[in-house]
Amino acid sequence: MNDMNDMNDMNDMNDIHFPEKVTLKNHFNERKLHLTRADCISSVPTVRARVTSICNQSTVYRNLFQARLKGARYTLSDADEFLAWATAGWKLRTHFVFFIVDDQFGIVGAIDIKSAELDDAEIGYWADSNHPGNITNAVLAMIDSAIETGFIRFTAFVRHDNDNSSRVLERAGFNLSNKEGEREGYFCWERCIT
């Protein structure tokens, strides 16, 4: 019986198909952007450098990496690990990372679905603070694509002091959840598709 359940789970994962690229616009200046699957972007030095640079920006670093890296800088090696993890997720169908790409500036952010659980998919994101206005529309574009492939419920955990991220989720149709205490120091936001 377990073998049959495992086979059904594998079939469900194989049914998850996202487009390689989705077009969206910057909220402020209407500049065209692309939500591009991580497995469709090669890990060239400029990509590694861009990821490293953004992840060392004060807001991104404080919210995502300061505690994890114990105050050490985010390095090119960290970017390499992230890029390998991002690409592997697509191959294994376990998690789904997209880059937000501006034709002029290159990568300006990343957004992901952290699992293949269609009824409880956690999302996360980071963005270049020098290019604001991208994240809300990127979240909406990713959610729309995810709905088409069968995802029905999304959650996001946001540090209590990260008001900007909370506003992004609110604009993207998320509501505060009663699961707030699940991660100490974080609000839980959720969006259910009915």
Side-chain angles (χ1 to χ4, degrees):
M1 187 67 163
N2 281 343
D3 290 339
M4 185 60 81
N5 288 337
D6 290 344
M7 186 66 83
N8 287 338
D9 289 345
M10 193 63 122
N11 287 336
D12 289 344
M13 286 192 288
N14 290 332
D15 289 342
I16 297 173
H17 298 285
F18 286 93
E20 290 183 7
K21 187 186 286 191
V22 175
T23 302
L24 61 135
K25 290 185 179 179
N26 178 285
H27 174 73
F28 297 122
N29 60 22
E30 299 287 311
R31 181 190 300 272
K32 188 166 91 170
L33 304 159
H34 303 284
L35 202 57
T36 304
R37 289 173 30 167
D39 63 333
C40 297
I41 292 183
S42 61
S43 183
V44 297
T46 54
V47 170
R48 296 170 67 232
R50 209 53 199 121
V51 168
T52 303
S53 173
I54 295 170
C55 290
N56 277 311
Q57 290 178 358
S58 61
T59 303
V60 175
Y61 181 80
R62 182 183 67 246
N63 287 322
L64 299 177
F65 303 111
Q66 186 170 355
R68 185 181 325 164
L69 297 176
K70 299 179 175 135
R73 290 186 55 80
Y74 190 97
T75 66
L76 287 171
S77 293
D78 294 319
D80 289 338
E81 287 178 24
F82 172 71
L83 292 165
W85 173 82
T87 301
W90 287 101
K91 183 177 182 178
L92 301 172
R93 298 286 197 238
T94 55
H95 53 280
F96 310 95
V97 179
F98 299 87
F99 285 106
I100 305 163
V101 180
D102 180 302
D103 290 337
Q104 182 177 352
F105 301 108
I107 291 173
V108 294
I111 184 167
D112 63 80
I113 299 174
K114 298 180 182 303
S115 75
E117 294 179 45
L118 300 178
D119 61 348
D120 192 19
E122 181 182 346
I123 69 164
Y125 45 82
W126 48 258
D128 185 341
S129 61
N130 297 315
H131 301 282
N134 299 326
I135 287 294
T136 299
N137 288 345
V139 169
L140 289 168
M142 184 181 73
I143 297 282
D144 286 347
S145 291
I147 291 168
E148 289 180 23
T149 200
F151 285 87
I152 59 172
R153 184 171 173 276
F154 304 90
T155 59
F157 290 89
V158 177
R159 286 171 42 133
H160 287 162
D161 61 351
N162 191 347
D163 295 334
N164 288 340
S165 191
S166 291
R167 283 194 294 275
V168 162
L169 293 168
E170 192 169 20
R171 287 191 301 264
F174 283 70
N175 296 301
L176 270 175
S177 167
N178 59 3
K179 294 169 66 175
E180 180 185 338
E182 192 170 302
R183 291 188 194 165
E184 188 175 338
Y186 289 79
F187 292 118
C188 178
W189 290 82
E190 64 183 356
R191 180 173 169 187
C192 297
I193 309 306
T194 53

